[in-house]
Amino acid sequence: MTKEIWLNLPVKDILQTTAFFTKIGFKLNEHAPKSDSMASFKIGQKDFIVNFFTEAVFKSFTPFQIADVTNATECLISIDAENKEDVDNMLKNAAEAGGKVFAAGGEKDGWMYGGGFIDLDGHKWNVLFMDFSKFPQ
């Protein structure tokens, strides 16, 4: 049986990536090795780990091409927020750190509030607050 799951993503510049994700509130994974080719962050209450690797290192993990995410989405990485304000703050922080908001915070279906941003390398992130007490029965 599996013990953990984590996400590995390719990036062009580790220092810029580290600065970006630190500015939006992710916490550095202090247990990961310090390197100029890797940055590791813990996200959320359960410390989900996201590792960012330089493209050269990432390419060594797989025989496949790195996806061109300029005009495509390889996946949508979703983050569960505590409230609407946290959604808006993360979107604001992402924009201020150099990312691009592709969907401003807004209501959906009466029980969700969310928006999305694109990081410095084109990866798409979705930030949602879900109020299940308002979920249609």
Side-chain angles (χ1 to χ4, degrees):
M1 181 54 75
T2 60
K3 297 187 308 180
E4 293 184 43
I5 184 171
W6 60 90
L7 177 64
N8 297 325
L9 294 171
V11 298
K12 293 183 182 359
D13 187 304
I14 288 295
L15 293 177
Q16 288 181 351
T17 297
T18 301
F20 177 85
F21 285 101
T22 300
K23 286 178 187 173
I24 69 167
F26 289 11
K27 60 184 177 182
L28 279 169
N29 178 3
E30 298 298 330
H31 295 92
K34 307 277 187 264
S35 168
D36 60 357
S37 62
M38 174 193 178
S40 181
F41 288 88
K42 292 181 176 181
I43 305 170
Q45 295 172 349
K46 295 182 181 178
D47 288 338
F48 181 80
I49 294 176
V50 178
N51 296 316
F52 298 96
F53 292 93
T54 59
E55 289 180 345
V57 171
F58 191 88
K59 285 178 185 178
S60 72
F61 300 156
T62 175
F64 304 105
Q65 296 286 332
I66 292 176
D68 178 2
V69 294
T70 310
N71 292 307
T73 302
E74 80 229 286
C75 67
L76 183 60
I77 307 159
S78 295
I79 300 170
D80 185 24
E82 290 281 338
N83 52 49
K84 294 177 185 181
E85 293 77 20
D86 284 351
V87 171
D88 291 336
N89 284 335
M90 185 167 283
L91 296 174
K92 177 179 162 275
N93 291 342
E96 289 176 356
K100 180 180 177 186
V101 173
F102 68 84
E107 292 282 341
K108 179 159 175 50
D109 299 330
W111 65 280
M112 285 189 293
Y113 182 88
F117 68 90
I118 303 169
D119 70 22
L120 303 177
D121 289 279
H123 307 293
K124 282 57 171 193
W125 299 78
N126 189 33
V127 187
L128 293 170
F129 166 65
M130 296 174 282
D131 185 349
F132 290 108
S133 70
K134 296 179 180 177
F135 186 78
Q137 299 299 319

